[in-house]
Amino acid sequence: MQINSIRQQYIFRGIIQGVGFRPTVYRCAVTLGLTGFVLNQRSEVMAEIEGKKDALLKFPGLLKKMLPKAALIEKTTVQDVPSTGDTNFRIMRSQATTYNFPPIPPDLAICPECREELLDASNRRYLYPFITCTQCGPRYSIVEDTPFDRETTSMIDFPQCPDCLKEYTDPMDRRFHSQTNSCRKCGPQLRLQTVHREDIPEDPLIRTIRALQEGKIIAIQGIGGFHLAAVPENQETMVRLRRDKERERKPFAVMLAGLTEAEKLCRIDEEDFTLLNSFISPIMIFPLCSDAPAYLKQVSHTGTLGIMLPYTPLHLLLFHHPEIEISYRSLIMTSGNLKGEPIVTEPDEAFKKLEDIADLFLYHNRRIIFRTDDSVIRTGQKGGKVLLRRSRGYVPRLITLKSPVDRIALGVGGDLKSSPALARKQDIYLAPYLGDLEDPLTRRDFEYQISKILSLFNVQPEVLIYDLHPLYHSTRWAQKSSIEHKIGVQHHHAHLLSVMAEHQLVEAIGLAFDGTGYGSDGTMWGGEFLYASRSGFKRLGCYIPFPLPGGEAAIKHPIRITLALLAGIVPEDELKAVISSRSTLEPMDIETLLDMIKKKVNSPISSSAGRIFDAAAALLGLVEMVSYEGEGPIRMEGIALRAFSADPSPAGEKTAERLFSLIPPAGSSEPFYLDIRPVLRHLAFNYRPEDTAALSFLFHRVMAESALEGARILRKMTGLNDLALSGGVFQNILLRELLLPALKREGFQVYTNTSIPPGDGGIAIGQVYFKPDKE
């Protein structure tokens, strides 16, 4: 025992398992001459350190300096414990605890050290496509149980060779206790096969690179599933990929060789470069440079481009393999799936599903336990970053509340962009993006993911929360569940609650703008001005309701929505002329639709801001038949951004002709209406093809002005200044750039979704944050 020694116990919580945290604690303690131990527990890391007082005082500061980039300490508790007289410091075997949720690290992009070793001909892992260390590699996607140790992941299939085991057990080695440690002798292996499962007798990577350069489409298995890869400059390949994947116009994401290529194609600032090149390594959507290559029009028709950098050693070798000359600097990397289905994870499934799309299959023998797509982010300046899809790199990071939820709660979300959430005490786990539950395979995956999550975290929900839409598959699943206690939460209330959960708010006023959500009056809401608390909400206002002639058909053919919105304010003959000039509708079709509207036949009522955007895009000739969700508004925003760059003043700063109006409440229990039809009439009668950008921008500005006016009314009615913004419409960067600065200038405390998507991928967070007054 050291003379005058003191012993302290540390409990760490956060992203601290599978990221080299215990080895860092070890090295920190040894550097300071301290003794004791460190170990993983199911939900935390516990360390006991012993030594002289001055060394113990230095420990927290030095640990902070030595902390791995991928690690995140969210909470630390320290207490004095009796000295034991330890003579060394050691890493002990993991134990189990019963804290809220076990912290599992997200999958991590390849680190600079592994990148250097990968391309170093003198290194024993030279060109090994599964090189990892404590700072990079698969984590969440391979975990079967907790705590995160090799035997609780799919790496249990690969016993370490003597060389790897030596690194694993050496406290001063970078791979000390690296649970994914392996090499060519003992680790996962690559295999390249034809669609008929015939082996290609050649180096798999070199042959894949050659095939890509020949115009082939390759199914490539990555960390969380398969990609379909192709060279975007090859026009014939792009036509075939779009045809066979049934992706007529939806933009593809592109993986680029490096930051230099990214800078040539897109307008990117330094902060965005950092995130693009981080361990998260998401797809990021940027405006295209004006001199971007013409072939990118085959990739994206929106004026923007989704790009990512190589985040696995395999990806890196596809661009930088030193043993073959590589002509391409970019690759299409799109999810390996059939239209509407989940991303494929297993080779057998890939051969069945992708045989009519891919020419070759490059895959490995490391099992994927949890499928993960690439996360997607949009960036703005004044409007901030928007997380569109939360998956690889983010999942399974927890959202922590100040005040705990009363019971273990499972929120099943909605049917679009399904992502269930599980809440226990102060912590909320949000599942990765699964897809749309209209697809039977996605529904099956939804059920599988829920069962795996409950098993992984060893919990059983006490309450189940679902959306009020009676036809949602998630709602029907919840209602049939054996979990006895169930609660329905209105869709737009859940949107605002998701923001309130992130920012620890108990009440707020809010704007919930999206495409569709079932309202408490049985109509389709989506342009809502609400008061919200954790236990309830009140609809204080909305955009003026309008019919959707043909229901779903109007969403597919948004010129029908244009017709419905203008029908009450434009003379019928003039309206028919406008609609005929912007669509392929025959006069008889227009007559039929007008008759449906007048007689209220198959014309459900909506107040959706998203549908208003659809109508404007159709009116400007940007979309006639929608091929993917949000197609018209996305194109309109991309075009409008050109005009915005010339006039970036926020809403309210320049007051032009007021192209919307306010309709006060008809009674004390009725909402106020914002009538946006005047701007649509303006677009109808002032349209010229050469003015499309200016008119697109005008529409965005008027929508921002109307939202600002609605927020002012909410504040006046409630006295509240905390304003939450959520819903899929707030994925629109231009709307945010115009609206958020204007709100802040008028003194609003504005809150948006920051770590979860504002669209339906985040509503399960709001569901589990709901707290009923009485039960």
Side-chain angles (χ1 to χ4, degrees):
M1 183 182 295
Q2 298 182 37
I3 299 173
N4 298 323
S5 67
I6 300 171
R7 191 175 184 92
Q8 291 181 323
Q9 182 189 81
Y10 279 77
I11 302 293
F12 301 99
R13 297 188 179 113
I15 307 296
I16 48 174
Q17 293 189 14
V19 291
F21 183 72
R22 287 180 300 162
T24 303
V25 172
Y26 176 95
R27 286 190 283 271
C28 181
V30 169
T31 299
L32 294 171
L34 298 168
T35 63
F37 65 85
V38 62
L39 57 81
N40 268 345
Q41 299 188 135
R42 185 177 177 90
S43 304
E44 60 212 10
V45 169
M46 192 255 280
E48 290 193 6
I49 56 173
E50 185 168 342
K52 293 183 179 179
K53 182 178 181 180
D54 59 342
L56 263 70
L57 290 173
K58 293 176 183 176
F59 176 79
L62 182 59
L63 180 62
K64 186 176 180 180
K65 289 180 181 178
M66 296 175 69
L67 198 66
K69 288 182 180 179
L72 175 66
I73 300 175
E74 294 175 343
K75 186 177 181 182
T76 305
T77 57
V78 187
Q79 64 176 347
D80 291 335
V81 293
S83 298
T84 64
D86 283 337
T87 57
N88 60 7
F89 197 92
R90 61 203 185 278
I91 295 180
M92 294 179 64
R93 189 173 180 83
S94 300
Q95 296 180 354
T97 66
T98 56
Y99 192 66
N100 300 353
F101 294 128
I104 302 163
D107 299 315
L108 306 170
I110 185 170
C111 69
E113 291 79 8
C114 283
R115 180 185 178 121
E116 185 176 337
E117 290 179 351
L118 178 70
L119 301 175
D120 179 0
S122 66
N123 191 279
R124 75 184 187 92
R125 291 187 176 86
Y126 177 58
L127 305 184
Y128 178 55
F130 302 98
I131 185 172
T132 68
C133 68
T134 57
Q135 294 304 291
C136 65
R139 298 293 192 269
Y140 170 76
S141 60
I142 61 170
V143 69
E144 291 195 279
D145 201 356
T146 57
F148 185 84
D149 285 323
R150 194 180 187 95
E151 57 266 28
T152 59
T153 72
S154 57
M155 287 302 292
I156 195 174
D157 300 340
F158 305 99
Q160 294 181 84
C161 68
D163 289 338
C164 287
L165 196 58
K166 182 180 178 183
E167 295 168 331
Y168 184 85
T169 54
D170 180 359
M172 304 314 291
D173 194 283
R174 202 175 88 251
R175 293 185 171 88
F176 181 46
H177 278 243
S178 171
Q179 308 304 338
T180 55
N181 193 32
S182 68
C183 70
R184 203 178 300 276
K185 293 179 187 176
C186 63
Q189 301 295 319
L190 272 183
R191 194 171 186 180
L192 181 66
Q193 291 188 319
T194 68
V195 291
H196 304 298
R197 307 206 73 161
E198 299 164 338
D199 285 312
I200 306 292
E202 205 177 330
D203 180 283
L205 276 166
I206 289 177
R207 183 65 187 97
T208 296
I209 292 166
R210 188 175 292 120
L212 286 165
Q213 294 180 146
E214 292 167 355
K216 300 291 195 294
I217 298 169
I218 317 295
I220 300 176
Q221 189 182 23
I223 283 183
F226 275 82
H227 282 113
L228 289 166
V231 175
E233 290 95 329
N234 191 312
Q235 187 170 350
E236 289 182 10
T237 303
M238 291 298 297
V239 169
R240 183 162 67 91
L241 180 60
R242 286 201 175 277
R243 181 195 68 211
D244 294 346
K245 202 171 187 292
E246 297 183 76
R247 194 179 176 118
E248 185 181 354
R249 292 188 295 272
K250 189 175 183 180
F252 285 117
V254 175
M255 182 175 281
L256 301 175
L259 290 171
T260 302
E261 285 72 26
E263 200 167 21
K264 289 177 182 176
L265 299 181
C266 301
R267 302 198 298 272
I268 310 175
D269 65 26
E270 190 172 338
E271 185 181 340
D272 293 330
F273 269 128
T274 301
L275 181 56
L276 193 64
N277 200 34
S278 70
F279 68 86
I280 297 171
S281 194
I283 295 171
M284 298 187 72
I285 300 175
F286 298 109
L288 276 168
C289 293
S290 56
D291 58 349
Y295 74 82
L296 289 176
K297 290 181 181 178
Q298 285 270 15
V299 178
S300 174
H301 64 161
T302 63
T304 59
L305 183 66
I307 63 173
M308 58 180 159
L309 299 180
Y311 59 83
T312 72
L314 188 155
H315 293 144
L316 203 62
L317 291 172
L318 290 176
F319 288 98
H320 302 286
H321 201 298
E323 297 179 6
I324 181 174
E325 187 175 339
I326 303 173
S327 59
Y328 57 79
R329 304 301 289 166
S330 63
L331 286 173
I332 297 295
M333 280 284 179
T334 187
S335 298
N337 59 347
L338 297 181
K339 186 175 183 180
E341 293 187 2
I343 186 172
V344 172
T345 59
E346 295 300 320
D348 288 346
E349 184 186 13
F351 279 99
K352 291 176 185 176
K353 293 292 181 71
L354 307 178
E355 64 177 352
D356 293 331
I357 305 174
D359 300 302
L360 296 173
F361 292 77
L362 181 67
Y363 64 96
H364 55 73
N365 58 341
R366 185 181 62 211
R367 290 179 294 124
I368 295 172
I369 308 301
F370 284 102
R371 74 179 81 235
T372 54
D373 287 85
D374 297 310
S375 293
V376 183
I377 294 174
R378 288 202 69 185
T379 65
Q381 295 175 350
K382 299 172 184 176
K385 290 181 174 59
V386 188
L387 187 56
L388 304 188
R389 186 165 74 197
R390 184 181 185 271
S391 195
R392 178 187 51 77
Y394 286 95
V395 176
R397 293 174 67 172
L398 302 175
I399 293 160
T400 303
L401 306 174
K402 278 186 180 178
S403 57
V405 296
D406 295 335
R407 289 170 295 184
I408 300 173
L410 174 65
V412 297
D415 271 18
L416 296 177
K417 301 176 180 63
S418 174
S419 298
L422 185 65
R424 184 181 188 186
K425 297 183 180 177
Q426 278 100 347
D427 291 330
I428 303 177
Y429 163 84
L430 180 65
Y433 164 87
L434 301 180
D436 296 344
L437 297 187
E438 189 62 33
D439 175 69
L441 290 178
T442 308
R443 293 201 293 274
R444 188 175 70 185
D445 190 46
F446 164 81
E447 295 179 15
Y448 170 80
Q449 291 283 340
I450 289 176
S451 66
K452 286 292 291 183
I453 291 164
L454 298 181
S455 172
L456 183 66
F457 294 142
N458 193 29
V459 297
Q460 189 60 36
E462 296 166 316
V463 60
L464 191 57
I465 304 111
Y466 57 88
D467 193 274
L468 292 179
H469 199 304
L471 299 181
Y472 271 2
H473 296 286
S474 54
T475 299
R476 291 175 171 179
W477 180 88
Q479 290 171 338
K480 293 177 183 177
S481 168
S482 60
I483 298 170
E484 185 176 345
H485 193 65
K486 304 177 179 72
I487 301 173
V489 174
Q490 198 277 328
H491 189 87
H492 301 95
H493 185 205
H495 269 310
L496 297 185
L497 284 172
S498 73
V499 178
M500 293 164 65
E502 282 197 82
H503 298 282
Q504 317 295 335
L505 303 176
V506 295
E507 67 172 353
I509 49 177
L511 280 53
F513 293 177
D514 65 2
T516 298
Y518 191 79
S520 50
D521 62 357
T523 66
M524 293 297 109
W525 293 5
E528 309 309 308
F529 297 82
L530 307 177
Y531 161 79
S533 70
R534 288 189 66 178
S535 60
F537 76 97
K538 186 174 182 181
R539 188 191 202 194
L540 299 178
C542 64
Y543 284 109
I544 190 167
F546 51 90
L548 298 175
E552 287 293 322
I555 297 171
K556 274 286 186 186
H557 303 274
I559 197 69
R560 293 179 175 220
I561 307 174
T562 310
L563 177 70
L565 279 159
L566 293 178
I569 61 170
V570 174
E572 197 166 290
D573 289 345
E574 294 180 31
L575 178 58
K576 290 176 182 177
V578 167
I579 299 301
S580 294
S581 67
R582 312 295 162 78
S583 72
T584 57
L585 285 175
E586 297 291 338
M588 284 296 294
D589 297 326
I590 298 173
E591 285 283 2
T592 300
L593 291 170
L594 286 170
D595 198 45
M596 289 170 63
I597 292 167
K598 291 171 186 174
K599 295 178 179 178
K600 302 179 181 179
V601 174
N602 191 21
S603 298
I605 299 300
S606 173
S607 58
S608 165
R611 300 285 86 90
I612 295 170
F613 271 86
D614 286 337
L619 197 50
L620 294 175
L622 298 175
V623 63
E624 183 161 5
M625 182 174 178
V626 173
S627 67
Y628 63 91
E629 184 191 7
E631 180 178 1
I634 290 170
R635 287 199 67 193
M636 183 168 60
E637 182 197 359
I639 292 169
L641 280 167
R642 300 174 200 164
F644 175 65
S645 61
D647 179 19
S649 54
E653 203 163 277
K654 288 186 175 181
T655 305
E657 180 187 356
R658 186 173 164 116
L659 293 174
F660 70 94
S661 62
L662 170 67
I663 302 174
S668 59
S669 62
E670 295 295 312
F672 65 82
Y673 294 136
L674 286 167
D675 188 352
I676 206 72
R677 293 176 298 175
V679 71
L680 296 176
R681 180 172 53 199
H682 181 88
L683 300 186
F685 293 107
N686 291 274
Y687 172 75
R688 293 183 306 168
E690 61 268 30
D691 294 334
T692 303
L695 291 172
S696 297
F697 178 61
L698 173 68
F699 174 76
H700 279 81
R701 179 177 284 282
V702 173
M703 286 299 291
E705 294 276 4
S706 67
L708 176 62
E709 180 67 15
R712 290 174 182 139
I713 298 169
L714 289 179
R715 179 164 60 184
K716 187 175 181 181
M717 293 177 74
T718 65
L720 295 175
N721 204 47
D722 289 338
L723 179 69
L725 309 180
S726 192
V729 170
F730 286 111
Q731 296 174 159
N732 184 311
I733 287 293
L734 178 54
L735 179 65
R736 294 167 68 100
E737 298 282 289
L738 292 168
L739 178 59
L740 268 66
L743 290 166
K744 292 172 182 176
R745 191 179 64 243
E746 295 209 8
F748 286 97
Q749 188 66 47
V750 181
Y751 298 94
T752 60
N753 294 112
T754 55
S755 58
I756 62 173
D760 284 7
I763 66 167
I765 293 287
Q767 289 173 345
V768 297
Y769 192 58
F770 178 77
K771 185 178 182 180
D773 280 332
K774 294 180 181 179
E775 306 205 28

